[in-house]
Amino acid sequence: MIEPVGLRARKKVRTRDAIADAAISMFLARGFDQVSVSDIAAMAEVSKPTLFRYFATKEDLVLHRFADHHGEAARVVRDRRPDITPMRALHRHFRAGLDRFEPVTGLNDHPEVVAFHRLVFTTPSLAGRLMQYMLDDEGALAAALGPGIGARLQAAQVIAVQRVLARTNWQKIADGRTAQDVQLEAVADANQAFAQLCHGTDSS
C-alpha cells in the first residue's frame, strides 16, 4: 500500500521535530560540545544517516529555530505598502515583535528561551553559524532595498541594529529581569536605533 503524500510529509515533520527537540534538550543540559551526533541519534531513536538527512550539520540542529525568520527583513521591505518607507516598515515590524515578546527580539523570559540564547551566544561554532545566517539576511535585504553601495550599507546597518537590540534585551533578562519589566526600555532602544538609521548620528 502506498502511503499518502500528506501522511508522509507529517511523519517527516514529526521525525524532524523529535530529532531537534532531543538535540536541544541535551545541549541545554550538557553543553553543545559535550553532546555527539551519535548521542542525539540514540536519544531520538534514529540512525545517524537519518539524522543527517534532516540536518546537514550539528549546528543546524540548533539554528533551525531561526529558519522562520531567515530573510524576514527582506520580506518586510518587499511586502510593505507603497506609502511606507523601508526603514519605517522594518521599525514597525521589530516593534510588533517586541509587543508579542517574540524570542527573536530577545524580549522573552521563558527559561528555555533564555537558556537557548545563552547556548547560541556562548558557543563559538553556533555564534559563527548565526553570523552566516545574518550575512545571508543582509544580502537578501540589500537586494530588496535596491542596487548600489547605499543599499548594501543600509542593509548591513539594519541587521547589525537588530542583532544589538536583541542581544541587549536578552542580556537584561539573563541578568534576572522580566520581559515585562524590560519592554519599555526595549521599545525606547528600538525607537532610538531606527531613528539613527533614518537620520544618522551626526547632529551638527
Side-chain angles (χ1 to χ4, degrees), residues 49-169:
T50 295
L51 185 151
F52 283 122
R53 282 202 297 272
Y54 288 92
F55 300 97
T57 70
K58 185 178 172 183
E59 287 77 13
D60 289 336
L61 286 158
V62 177
L63 297 180
H64 81 282
R65 286 194 173 184
F66 292 98
D68 288 346
H69 298 283
H70 206 199
E72 188 168 65
R75 290 194 295 274
V76 169
V77 169
R78 288 195 302 267
D79 296 344
R80 76 189 192 283
R81 296 201 323 256
D83 60 322
I84 302 295
T85 66
M87 288 304 105
R88 187 168 180 80
L90 289 163
H91 184 193
R92 286 182 174 180
H93 183 76
F94 193 86
R95 281 285 309 272
L98 294 175
D99 291 343
R100 294 190 294 268
F101 296 97
E102 288 187 356
V104 73
T105 67
L107 191 66
N108 187 295
D109 55 12
H110 188 287
E112 185 176 315
V113 172
V114 177
F116 176 81
H117 282 123
R118 180 179 290 109
L119 174 71
V120 173
F121 294 147
T122 61
T123 304
S125 61
L126 291 173
R129 180 59 68 87
L130 182 59
M131 183 58 65
Q132 184 58 56
Y133 273 45
M134 290 180 176
L135 289 173
D136 292 344
D137 281 349
E138 180 185 313
L141 177 56
L145 289 170
I149 188 66
R152 292 172 60 188
L153 289 171
Q154 196 170 43
Q157 291 171 333
V158 168
I159 298 302
V161 158
Q162 291 179 340
R163 173 181 58 81
V164 170
L165 291 173
R167 182 69 180 262
T168 300
N169 294 337

Side-chain angles (χ1 to χ4, degrees), residues 191-201:
N191 290 345
Q192 177 183 345
F194 279 94
Q196 289 184 194
L197 282 174
C198 292
H199 307 298
T201 59

Side-chain angles (χ1 to χ4, degrees), residues 3-17 54:
E3 194 174 65
V5 173
L7 180 58
R8 289 201 304 273
R10 289 195 296 274
K11 283 185 175 180
K12 287 182 178 180
V13 170
R14 286 197 297 270
T15 299
R16 179 183 173 86
D17 289 346
Y54 288 92

Side-chain angles (χ1 to χ4, degrees), residues 34-45:
Q34 282 65 52
V35 178
S36 70
V37 171
S38 296
D39 294 334
I40 298 163
M43 174 67 75
E45 299 182 336

